[in-house]
Amino acid sequence: MRYRIPLLAATLLMPLGASAQPLIQSQEGIALQNEILQLQQQVQQLQGQSGGNGGSSLGAAAAPSPASGGTGSNSLVASLLTQVQQLQSQVQALNGQVSELQHQVDTQHDQTEKEIGDLKFQMGNGAAAGAAAGAAASSSQASAPASAPPPAVAPKDPKAALQAALDAYGKHDYATARSLAQGIVTTNKAAPQAYRAQYLVAQSDAAQGDPQNAAVAFYSTYNMNKNGTYAPRALLGLASSLSSLHQNQEACETIASLNSQFTNQSAGMRADVAAVSKRAKCQ
C-alpha cells in the first residue's frame, strides 16, 4: 500500500505537464486549466504527506500509520485523477469546437475574397461597353427634346415593314426609317426581322447625327445576338458613337473587344476599325 499513493500521484501528474500549457484562449478554457492546476497542487500536497520523513515522494519506503487513513488517501487520489481526466476531456472538446469555428471563419473569409475578386474582374473587364452605353443612355434622356415626330404608319407584316424602313433609309429619310424599324422591334421583337430592324434603328440615329441614341441602339443590337451578322458592325458603331461623345477611353475599349472577338475581318472592316481607332486616339 505504501507505493500505491505515490504511483497514482505520478500517474496523475504525467498528463498535467501538457495541460499546464494554455490550450485555448477563452474564459471557459482558462477556468478549466486553473482548476486542473489547483488539483495538481492538491495531489502534490497529498504526495508529500504520504512520502514519509523527508524521503522522496515517489520512492518513500515508510509505511503510513493506522491513523493516516491510507485507504482514504488512495481513494482521494483516484477521485482527483478522475476529476483531472474529466477536465482534460472538456478542454479537448473546447479545443475541437474552437478548431471547427476557426475553420468556418477561414472558409467564409476565402469565399468572400473570391467573390470580391470575381466582382473586380467583372467590373474591370466585362462591363466597359455596357457602362459606356448606359452613360450615353442617361445623357440622351437628359438632353432629349420635349417632343418627338409622330411615328410613321407601318405595315403590320414585319417583313413588309422592314422593307419599307430600308427603302426610307435608302432615300435618306432617316426619321421614317427609324420609326418603322423601331415599330418592328417594339411590336414584333420575336420576328426574324427584328434583329435587322434594331441595327437599322442604330444606323438611322447615327445618320441623323445623334451619337447618344446611336450608342444605345448599337449596344442593343450587339446584345440581341453577340455572334450575329451585325455584331461586329454594332460594336464598331458603338465605338464610333462613343468617340463622337468624347468618350475615347470607352471607345478604345470597345475596339479592343471587337478585335478580340472578331479576328477574321474583311479588308473594308479593318479599314473602318483603323479609322475609328485613329479618331479615338487609341494606342
Side-chain angles (χ1 to χ4, degrees), residues 15 31 36 91 95 110 119 130 134 145 148 209 214 224 230 232-233 249:
I36 290 174
V91 170
N95 273 330
D110 293 342
L119 180 59
M224 284 184 72
Y230 304 107
R233 284 286 174 180
Q249 179 179 353

Side-chain angles (χ1 to χ4, degrees), residues 35-249:
E35 191 169 349
I36 290 174
L37 291 176
Q38 291 176 1
L39 288 173
Q40 181 184 16
Q41 293 174 358
Q42 294 178 23
V43 171
Q44 289 174 343
Q45 292 174 0
L46 182 61
Q47 184 181 10
Q49 292 174 2
S50 64
N53 296 326
S56 171
S57 59
L58 294 178
S65 63
S68 62
T71 302
S73 299
N74 184 46
S75 300
L76 179 59
V77 171
S79 175
L80 291 175
L81 177 59
T82 301
Q83 293 180 43
V84 169
Q85 290 175 342
Q86 291 175 350
L87 291 173
Q88 288 177 335
S89 297
Q90 294 179 30
V91 170
Q92 291 175 356
L94 287 175
N95 273 330
Q97 294 175 10
V98 170
S99 298
E100 183 178 356
L101 289 174
Q102 184 62 47
H103 176 70
Q104 293 178 5
V105 170
D106 292 341
T107 301
Q108 292 176 356
H109 178 268
D110 293 342
Q111 183 177 0
T112 302
E113 288 293 325
K114 182 179 182 302
E115 291 175 353
I116 292 175
D118 292 344
L119 180 59
K120 287 182 178 179
F121 177 81
Q122 293 174 8
M123 293 176 63
N125 296 276
S138 299
S139 178
S140 174
Q141 291 175 0
S143 59
S147 60
V153 178
K156 293 183 179 181
D157 179 28
K159 184 176 180 180
L162 177 60
Q163 187 58 54
L166 290 171
D167 291 343
Y169 187 86
K171 297 175 183 178
H172 306 288
D173 186 0
Y174 303 123
T176 299
R178 187 192 193 286
S179 177
L180 291 170
Q182 185 61 57
I184 297 172
V185 175
T186 302
T187 60
N188 295 281
K189 192 172 184 179
Q193 294 78 18
Y195 181 47
R196 179 65 181 94
Q198 177 60 57
Y199 182 57
L200 185 57
V201 171
Q203 288 179 301
S204 300
D205 285 335
Q208 292 182 93
D210 185 358
Q212 294 173 337
N213 282 323
V216 177
F218 279 124
Y219 186 65
S220 296
T221 303
Y222 172 70
N223 274 339
M224 284 184 72
N225 189 346
K226 295 182 179 180
N227 296 311
T229 304
Y230 304 107
R233 284 286 174 180
L235 286 177
L236 180 61
L238 173 60
S240 178
S241 300
L242 291 172
S243 178
S244 298
L245 293 170
H246 307 290
Q247 297 183 16
N248 288 335
Q249 179 179 353

Side-chain angles (χ1 to χ4, degrees), residues 247-269:
Q247 297 183 16
N248 288 335
Q249 179 179 353
E250 290 79 1
C252 293
E253 290 174 353
T254 304
I255 290 293
S257 179
L258 166 62
N259 289 333
S260 65
Q261 293 181 58
F262 304 99
T263 56
N264 189 20
Q265 301 174 7
S266 65
M269 181 69 174

